[in-house]
Amino acid sequence: MAESTRSGEPDEKIVRLLFTDFDGDRADPDDVISDGLDGGYADRTEALAAILRDPDEGPYEHFLACLALTRWGDALGYAAVAEAASDPAAVDWRGASYDRLHTQDDTFALLAEAVGDSADMVEERATPEARVRAARALLAIADRVQFDRRISALLRRDLLPACLPALRDAVDRGVRRLAEHERLGFDLGLQLALMIVAARAADPGWAAAAAGRLALAEPGERALRELRELQDPGGA
């Protein structure tokens, strides 16, 4: 969350779990989550799971618990991500974090990064399939929710084959939205372009056709710069 800004103040329980490092000193949640990968996660997982399950906890606490559990490859974290993606407008923690540059909600973007980066934990936690389900659920809403460049975390070689159908469907919907000039509030064109470029290795024919359709939909200069990679033989 280094490039993000949280809203609200954390409660005492989440401060102990994610704002306090393993030496007992005050710390940033990013650092605590990262340090927990060395094994410390086991001491805090149960308490974070209780926060995530408790409907009386606040939105910010729910979000941070979900973020930490997901990065630690926990099955409950992945399941919570997939459930949130099934109805993103209804999630209570939307707006719990927002990017500093555009002051837009980036909660799903941060979760996407956590899902992608958790590849190093899934064998230890026996959760590789749960991770794929979470990634697929997030890509399925990429035409509706801001991910910006963090969507690249879901486009890794170990995830892409299983997620390709969801990716293609989201791109098709997103291109239609751009062509119809919907007001979306985020750079959908960039997200779609990144998805198309990533899909080239698995489905070059579809990627080439999708790139053409996206270019015609006036996706913006950031998207067009990404699409040029498809025309660059050195970018393969």
Side-chain angles (χ1 to χ4, degrees):
M1 295 177 68
E3 297 178 0
S4 302
T5 300
R6 61 181 173 83
S7 59
E9 291 297 326
D11 73 9
E12 183 179 346
K13 282 185 287 187
I14 208 76
V15 167
R16 289 198 306 269
L17 293 168
L18 292 178
F19 289 81
T20 306
D21 66 19
F22 296 91
D23 294 321
D25 298 322
R26 189 67 180 250
D28 185 88
D30 283 342
D31 296 330
V32 176
I33 292 170
S34 179
D35 291 345
L37 298 171
D38 292 329
Y41 74 85
D43 295 330
R44 303 194 181 187
T45 291
E46 185 176 347
L48 286 168
I51 287 174
L52 186 57
R53 291 189 179 104
D54 188 347
D56 293 327
E57 291 288 349
Y60 185 52
E61 287 69 30
H62 284 154
F63 174 70
L64 280 183
C66 184
L67 185 68
L69 291 171
T70 301
R71 180 60 186 91
W72 292 340
D74 189 86
L76 178 61
Y78 291 138
V81 170
E83 182 180 358
S86 69
D87 190 1
V91 180
D92 68 347
W93 40 251
R94 291 297 297 278
S97 174
Y98 55 93
D99 71 272
R100 292 174 178 170
L101 183 60
H102 303 293
T103 62
Q104 293 174 330
D105 173 85
D106 68 352
T107 47
F108 275 105
L110 291 170
L111 290 175
E113 200 166 59
V115 170
D117 290 348
S118 63
D120 57 354
M121 293 295 292
V122 292
E123 295 305 322
E124 179 177 338
R125 308 299 306 278
T127 53
E129 293 180 2
R131 175 173 174 258
V132 169
R133 287 194 293 271
R136 188 185 296 129
L138 290 172
L139 285 171
I141 60 170
D143 60 311
R144 294 184 282 153
V145 172
Q146 173 179 275
F147 291 95
D148 208 74
R149 291 192 176 276
R150 294 183 194 268
I151 200 167
S152 296
L154 302 175
L155 303 176
R156 304 179 184 205
R157 292 179 183 270
D158 63 322
L159 289 173
L160 195 58
C163 296
L164 198 58
L167 180 153
R168 287 190 296 234
D169 288 346
V171 168
D172 290 343
R173 291 191 303 270
V175 169
R176 287 196 297 271
R177 287 193 161 97
L178 288 177
E180 294 168 1
H181 303 290
E182 286 192 28
R183 296 177 64 87
L184 298 165
F186 64 95
D187 193 346
L188 175 58
L190 174 65
Q191 293 177 190
L192 300 180
L194 291 169
M195 294 162 72
I196 291 168
V197 171
R200 172 181 53 181
D203 195 341
W206 175 85
R213 289 185 283 112
L214 179 58
L216 290 174
E218 301 179 3
E221 183 55 34
R222 294 172 81 204
L224 293 174
R225 282 199 300 269
E226 299 296 331
L227 292 179
R228 290 184 192 116
E229 287 194 19
L230 289 172
Q231 303 170 346
D232 177 9

